[in-house]
Amino acid sequence: MSITADNSIQYDAIVIGAGVVGPAISTALARQGRKVLLIERDWTQPDRIVGELMQPAGLKALKSLGMIEAVNNIEAIHVDGYSIFYHGEQLIIDYPEKSVSHKIQDVPCCATNENSKIVSDSTLDAKYFEENEREVGVAFRHGEFISNLRSIAKKQPNLTCLKGTVIKIEKNDLGHVTGVMVNETDRSKVVYNAHLTICCDGIFSKFRKTLGQSNVPTVGSHFISLTLENAELPSPNHGHVVISNEAPILIYQISPVETRILCAYRSPKLPTVNDVKLKKYLNETVYNIIPESIRPSYKNALLNSRIRIMPNSYLVAKRNEIPGLFVMGDALNMRHPLTGGGMTVGLNDAVLLAKLLSPDKIESFADHSKVLDQFMEFHHERKSLDSVINVLSIALYSLFSADSKYLVILQKGCFHYLTKIPYPIALLSGLVPEPFMLFKHFFAVAFFSIMFNFRENGLVMFPVSIYEAIFTLYTAIVVFTPYMWQEIVS
Ligand SMILES: Cc1cc2nc3c(=O)[nH]c(=O)nc-3n(C[C@H](O)[C@H](O)[C@H](O)COP(=O)(O)OP(=O)(O)OC[C@H]3O[C@@H](n4cnc5c(N)ncnc54)[C@H](O)[C@@H]3O)c2cc1C
């Protein structure tokens, strides 16, 4: 790795972490002429079960950053939308037409004609993306995507990559962040200085607490993952969501051969791979509720694939108010991974930050007061996209993992609402970042569910239906409002 990192100079920006967001923001700033140091503890290709399905709005952000080539030559699979299985019924919802989507402007100095279009490769067809009337997403092996992002970053002349683990955020007497302390392979506790330190150290961030001691995520459930080989998917090129009496299951192809299955497990505590209850859940419950055509490859994976477990965390974004420090990506903000929105939020945040810090707006990052003003604007401007994606992820998880009578009523209503009005996919994919539309559709689902329940119960049960209507509405309010409120006022 580069040994040109220089601890005697002042960088414009130090970026901690080269996962999804780190290379994106580093590249953008370097292209804008800033001197950037990108520090990553492990530059080998990651082998993780996260960040494998990118929503169309995530692709748009990559285009706007001029980094769309990161999805090329990694055997990525195009994704047209979702296929939902609800107690044996199936519903296919494709991404919306392009005319519905909000536009994202290009980031100054980043996007060109060459670097903002997907090119055809062994699995992706450029024409399919360009000429399609509808929006399209992609799914891929996470590690290869990250390697591509890192390669783009490494090509930037103003950007130095350093292998090392950041162990401390350095501050001066005024409490302003001045840089970081790093343990490198052959020397420890090296201090690097920068006007701005951007922290993108991911889900298990060590440094998010710099924004406040109480800034810690909550974990409500876990995802148990296996890799299926040559799975026969009922709806190729779609994310599959299986809704049953259990927590939801997510299945999507990540390469021509591999398919990811993520089984939600209702436990805030980390289950162990050898846990008897977990084994029974995977061997019996999941096996019986996934579509039949997938079962042979799933059975095979139970014998041969490594079981991996990740927490499903939630964290509301806290304002970046410390001079010299900016926290972003999962370190700043997390939502339930059910809707695959994390990379979309992180990359759109990179787009927004790079626009707000571009040289025509900020001459030098040393001007802390001006930079802080831009951070405040960032915080307000990002709300529309992040509140929609975050709140929807939590609301859908609550409905799809329904564990009470009233959530079951909402779950049933939601499925049947989607058969008539598929619009919520425009919100889920990040293409329509309008919190009011989310509010409108969520409560439309609630009222639809209540009406559906009236119809199902029939006249004889009318008094019971009234009682259930009140509690169903109350449940909908409890599921939705506190999260929306937190997102809006934070
Ligand atoms: C089970 C699961 C499935 C998911 N699936 C999807 C999906 O399909 N689609 C989607 O959009 N999102 C998904 N997400 C969310 C997505 O993975 C994250 O939002 C995204 O990876 C966040 O990017 P990041 O750059 O903030 O963090 P990361 O990608 O985690 O990168 C953090 C980087 O920082 C480095 N690092 C950490 N500490 C240090 C240190 N002290 N010094 C130096 N380097 C350090 C790490 O090595 C790592 O490379 C999923 C999440 C989970 C939990």
Side-chain angles (χ1 to χ4, degrees):
M1 193 45 51
S2 168
I3 44 164
T4 54
D6 188 346
N7 62 342
S8 67
I9 64 162
Q10 185 86 357
Y11 287 92
D12 289 313
I14 288 175
V15 176
I16 309 170
V20 176
V21 178
I25 189 63
S26 310
T27 301
L29 296 182
R31 284 177 175 167
Q32 292 176 343
R34 311 290 185 184
K35 202 165 173 51
V36 182
L37 177 65
L38 172 59
I39 309 173
E40 166 60 46
R41 62 184 172 195
D42 184 0
W43 286 93
T44 57
Q45 188 162 290
D47 176 16
R48 302 178 67 194
I49 58 154
V50 305
E52 294 172 314
L53 190 153
M54 183 169 293
Q55 300 296 344
L59 279 182
K60 279 181 186 286
L62 278 178
K63 283 183 189 171
S64 165
L65 289 159
M67 296 180 79
I68 194 71
E69 67 190 89
V71 303
N72 270 129
N73 302 313
I74 55 172
E75 296 191 311
I77 304 291
H78 78 257
V79 180
D80 291 322
Y82 282 86
S83 182
I84 304 174
F85 294 82
Y86 175 76
H87 296 283
E89 287 181 67
Q90 186 187 1
L91 168 68
I92 294 179
I93 307 182
D94 283 340
Y95 287 128
E97 290 186 0
K98 285 180 176 159
S99 55
V100 170
S101 316
H102 283 214
K103 301 274 170 291
I104 304 182
Q105 284 170 0
D106 289 345
V107 178
C109 316
C110 289
T112 64
N113 270 345
E114 285 74 49
N115 66 18
S116 56
K117 280 196 182 101
I118 288 180
V119 295
S120 294
D121 60 24
S122 67
T123 52
L124 297 181
D125 175 7
K127 269 192 180 165
Y128 190 81
F129 285 81
E130 268 163 43
E131 293 172 11
N132 208 316
E133 279 182 5
R134 290 182 174 272
E135 297 284 0
V136 185
V138 288
F140 39 63
R141 289 181 286 248
H142 177 82
E144 286 169 48
F145 172 64
I146 297 296
S147 292
N148 274 356
L149 287 176
R150 289 173 176 177
S151 301
I152 299 171
K154 284 177 190 167
K155 279 186 209 149
Q156 310 309 316
N158 287 347
L159 199 158
T160 304
C161 294
L162 175 70
K163 177 174 172 5
T165 302
V166 175
I167 51 167
K168 192 175 162 218
I169 302 259
E170 293 288 329
K171 287 186 179 173
N172 64 16
D173 295 344
L174 299 168
H176 298 186
V177 170
T178 55
V180 295
M181 186 186 276
V182 184
N183 273 349
E184 296 174 36
T185 316
D186 43 14
R187 48 187 196 153
S188 60
K189 299 192 174 165
V190 187
V191 172
Y192 290 92
N193 300 300
H195 296 306
L196 177 61
T197 297
I198 302 180
C199 180
C200 313
D201 60 343
I203 180 170
F204 302 114
S205 171
K206 182 175 157 147
F207 300 115
R208 63 164 68 96
K209 273 193 177 172
T210 317
L211 296 181
Q213 280 306 306
S214 60
N215 194 29
V216 284
T218 51
V219 176
S221 62
H222 285 79
F223 256 145
I224 321 290
S225 154
L226 292 163
T227 312
L228 315 185
E229 282 191 13
N230 298 311
E232 204 181 302
L233 293 177
S235 318
N237 299 103
H238 286 78
H240 295 60
V241 184
V242 184
I243 307 168
S244 66
N245 295 333
E246 302 295 328
I249 296 166
L250 203 54
I251 306 165
Y252 46 85
Q253 202 178 341
I254 54 170
S255 80
V257 179
E258 295 134 297
T259 293
R260 171 70 59 225
I261 180 164
L262 293 169
C263 312
Y265 193 64
R266 289 184 190 125
S267 162
K269 241 181 81 193
L270 179 74
T272 57
V273 174
N274 291 322
D275 186 280
V276 181
K277 227 174 102 196
L278 175 67
K279 282 198 161 164
K280 193 167 182 293
Y281 173 67
L282 292 177
N283 290 331
E284 295 174 22
T285 314
V286 172
Y287 181 81
N288 286 319
I289 55 183
I290 56 175
E292 217 173 316
S293 68
I294 302 175
R295 287 182 198 160
S297 58
Y298 177 71
K299 204 169 183 177
N300 201 23
L302 281 174
L303 298 172
N304 301 314
S305 162
R306 183 151 68 99
I307 296 175
R308 294 196 276 182
I309 307 176
M310 281 297 285
N312 298 329
S313 317
Y314 179 74
L315 178 70
V316 177
K318 216 169 160 45
R319 287 171 203 212
N320 280 287
E321 290 174 325
I322 299 176
L325 178 72
F326 191 82
V327 180
M328 67 188 301
D330 274 11
L332 176 73
N333 185 206
M334 286 188 285
R335 73 289 315 150
H336 199 288
L338 176 69
T339 52
M343 294 190 291
T344 296
V345 171
L347 291 171
N348 277 280
D349 278 354
V351 167
L352 181 57
L353 184 67
K355 276 187 206 162
L356 291 170
L357 296 185
S358 65
D360 57 322
K361 296 207 165 73
I362 298 285
E363 205 179 308
S364 162
F365 293 167
D367 189 342
H368 283 322
S369 139
K370 267 198 185 156
V371 171
L372 281 178
D373 285 347
Q374 297 303 87
F375 288 176
M376 200 47 79
E377 196 160 334
F378 168 89
H379 198 75
H380 292 302
E381 265 193 50
R382 76 185 290 276
K383 271 186 200 295
S384 49
L385 176 73
D386 94 89
S387 61
V388 167
I389 291 189
N390 295 350
V391 177
L392 187 57
S393 77
I394 297 291
L396 283 183
Y397 177 72
S398 304
L399 264 54
F400 291 177
S401 66
D403 56 1
S404 79
K405 189 174 174 183
Y406 307 108
L407 280 170
V408 169
I409 293 175
L410 286 167
Q411 183 192 78
K412 193 182 273 185
C414 180
F415 178 78
H416 289 98
Y417 181 87
L418 291 173
T419 60
K420 296 186 185 334
I421 305 170
Y423 186 84
I425 193 154
L427 301 166
L428 182 147
S429 53
L431 295 164
V432 180
E434 292 181 29
F436 177 70
M437 292 305 275
L438 176 61
F439 177 87
K440 190 176 130 182
H441 282 276
F442 187 81
F443 284 100
V445 165
F447 286 109
F448 185 87
S449 306
I450 290 168
M451 297 314 292
F452 200 85
N453 193 46
F454 268 105
R455 230 181 42 207
E456 280 214 318
N457 284 349
L459 258 184
V460 187
M461 301 268 285
F462 191 75
V464 176
S465 299
I466 299 247
Y467 176 85
E468 287 178 346
I470 294 166
F471 280 94
T472 303
L473 187 59
Y474 173 75
T475 306
I477 292 168
V478 170
V479 163
F480 185 85
T481 323
Y483 289 101
M484 193 45 131
W485 179 252
Q486 279 189 76
E487 293 285 343
I488 299 291
V489 301
S490 66

